[in-house]
C-alpha cells in the first residue's frame, strides 16, 4: 500500500485559518501580525496587541514567536517550545488572539519576510496583513532582510513605546526617513506600559515580584518550569 499522501498541512493559525478560508478578497479578514521573541510574553505585548485590535477594527491578532531570532541570538533565554506554550496559556481565554508555530517549526534562522510570504501565499487575498509593532521596531524596519518586499505585503501599525521615539513623527535622519517612506505606517496611541521581557527576566533572577508585569498563566508556567531563574 502506498503511504498516505493526504496528511493535513500544519496550519498557520488554529483559530483563524478557517475564518480566513471563508473570507473573500472583497471582504478580507483583517489580520494583525505580531512577531516577537516573547521571552516571556508580558502585559506590554498584550496591551499593544489589544490597542491595535481596537484602533483598527481588526478581526484577529496572530502572535508569532520567533524560532531562532537572527537579531537576538545572544540574548535568547527560554526555548521556542516554552515561549510558544506561554503564549498558548495566556491566550486561551482571548478568542480574538492566537499564537502561531509557523516560525518555530521552520529550521534555521528566522526572517520575517519568509513568514509574511508564507502567510500571503496561504491566505492569498482573503487576509489583509497588518504588521503590529512598537516604535522601536518601526525605526529598525528598513534594516530588515528584503525590507522593500515586507513593505509591499503589510500595513505597519506602529505604537509609541515608552522610551522610544515615534518613528513617523520624529525621524531626524533624512536617510532613515526615506527608507521608512516605502512602508505604509499608521501610528496609533496606546497607554504607555513600561515593561520589557528583559525587565521581567531580570526581576525573576533577582527574586523580585513580577505579578503585575506578566499574565497569571505565564507566571504559573514560569514557576512550574523554573524558567529565567
Ligand atoms: P526584550 O526586553 O527581550 O528585548 P521586548 O519586551 O522588547 O523583549 P519583544 O518580544 O522583543 O519584547 O517585542 C516584540 C514587539 O513588542 C516589538 O515590536 C516591541 O516594540 C513590542 N513591545 C514590547 N514591549 C512593549 C511595550 N511595553 N509597549 C509597547 N510595545 C512593546
Amino acid at each position: 500500500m502506498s503511504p498516505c499522501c493526504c496528511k493535513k498541512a500544519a496550519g498557520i493559525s488554529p483559530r483563524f485559518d478557517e475564518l480566513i478560508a471563508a473570507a473573500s478578497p472583497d471582504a478580507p479578514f483583517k489580520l494583525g501580525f505580531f512577531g516577537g521573541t516573547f521571552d516571556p510574553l508580558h502585559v506590554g505585548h498584550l496591551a499593544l496587541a489589544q490597542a491595535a485590535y481596537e484602533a483598527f477594527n481588526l478581526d484577529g491578532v496572530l502572535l508569532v514567536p520567533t524560532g531562532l531570532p537572527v537579531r537576538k541570538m545572544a540574548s535568547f533565554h527560554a526555548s521556542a517550545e516554552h515561549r510558544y506554550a506561554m503564549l498558548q496559556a495566556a491566550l486561551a481565554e482571548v478568542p480574538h488572539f492566537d499564537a502561531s508555530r509557523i516560525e518555530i517549526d521552520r529550521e534555521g534562522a528566522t526572517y520575517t519576510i519568509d513568514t509574511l510570504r508564507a502567510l500571503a501565499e496561504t491566505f492569498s487575498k482573503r487576509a489583509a496583513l497588518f504588521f503590529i509593532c512598537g516604535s522601536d521596531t518601526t525605526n529598525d524596519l528598513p534594516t530588515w532582510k528584503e525590507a522593500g518586499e515586507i513593505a509591499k505585503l503589510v500595513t505597519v501599525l506602529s505604537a509609541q513605546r515608552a522610551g522610544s521615539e515615534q518613528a513617523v513623527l520624529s525621524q531626524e535622519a533624512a536617510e532613515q526617513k526615506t527608507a521608512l517612506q516605502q512602508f505604509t505606517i499608521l501610528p496609533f496611541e496606546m497607554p504607555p506600559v513600561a515593561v520589557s521581557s528583559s525587565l521581567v527576566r531580570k526581576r525573576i533572577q533577582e527574586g523580585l515580584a513580577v505579578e503585575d508585569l506578566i499574565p497569571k498563566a505565564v507566571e504559573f508556567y514560569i514557576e512550574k518550569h523554573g524558567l529565567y531563574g
Side-chain angles (χ1 to χ4, degrees):
M1 204 159 99
S2 61
C4 177
C5 60
C6 41
K7 189 174 161 224
K8 200 167 177 267
I12 289 176
S13 163
R15 277 187 179 147
F16 305 143
D17 281 352
E18 283 187 15
L19 294 172
I20 295 171
S24 73
D26 293 339
F29 188 94
K30 292 174 74 180
L31 181 67
F33 174 96
F34 182 20
T37 42
F38 303 118
D39 194 10
L41 175 80
H42 56 67
V43 293
H45 292 131
L46 291 178
L48 173 65
Q50 183 65 27
Y53 174 78
E54 289 171 8
F56 297 97
N57 205 14
L58 302 178
D59 293 308
V61 176
L62 191 61
L63 285 81
V64 183
T66 48
L68 277 177
V70 179
R71 284 153 201 283
K72 286 196 173 181
M73 288 290 199
S75 56
F76 193 42
H77 299 271
S79 70
E81 290 301 338
H82 278 317
R83 291 180 289 113
Y84 175 71
M86 287 189 274
L87 284 181
Q88 275 196 309
L91 304 183
E93 309 296 329
V94 193
H96 54 284
F97 290 171
D98 197 11
S100 178
R101 296 186 59 90
I102 184 167
E103 290 199 354
I104 64 176
D105 285 344
R106 186 185 304 139
E107 283 181 17
T110 300
Y111 290 101
T112 300
I113 182 60
D114 299 331
T115 309
L116 293 174
R117 274 203 185 107
L119 263 64
E121 275 164 26
T122 307
F123 298 146
S124 186
K125 300 213 177 313
R126 296 184 308 277
L129 301 179
F130 294 85
F131 184 93
I132 300 170
C133 57
S135 45
D136 54 326
T137 300
T138 317
N139 285 319
D140 206 30
L141 278 177
T143 67
W144 288 19
K145 186 183 171 207
E146 295 189 56
E149 293 306 305
I150 295 178
K152 286 182 198 160
L153 293 175
V154 299
T155 299
V156 177
L157 309 181
S158 172
Q160 176 61 36
R161 183 167 184 185
S164 171
E165 300 290 314
Q166 178 61 274
V168 279
L169 302 178
S170 65
Q171 280 144 29
E172 280 155 39
E175 246 176 53
Q176 191 186 10
K177 222 177 209 167
T178 310
L180 271 171
Q181 269 165 5
Q182 63 192 315
F183 291 90
T184 303
I185 300 175
L186 306 180
F188 67 103
E189 301 284 330
M190 67 174 277
V193 185
V195 182
S196 66
S197 296
S198 334
L199 175 70
V200 173
R201 294 192 302 268
K202 182 168 177 281
R203 288 185 66 88
I204 291 173
Q205 253 174 5
E206 291 170 356
L208 300 172
V210 288
E211 64 203 25
D212 294 336
L213 309 181
I214 53 179
K216 266 273 161 279
V218 172
E219 197 185 346
F220 287 145
Y221 189 97
I222 290 173
E223 263 173 40
K224 182 171 169 200
H225 295 273
L227 303 181
Y228 307 120

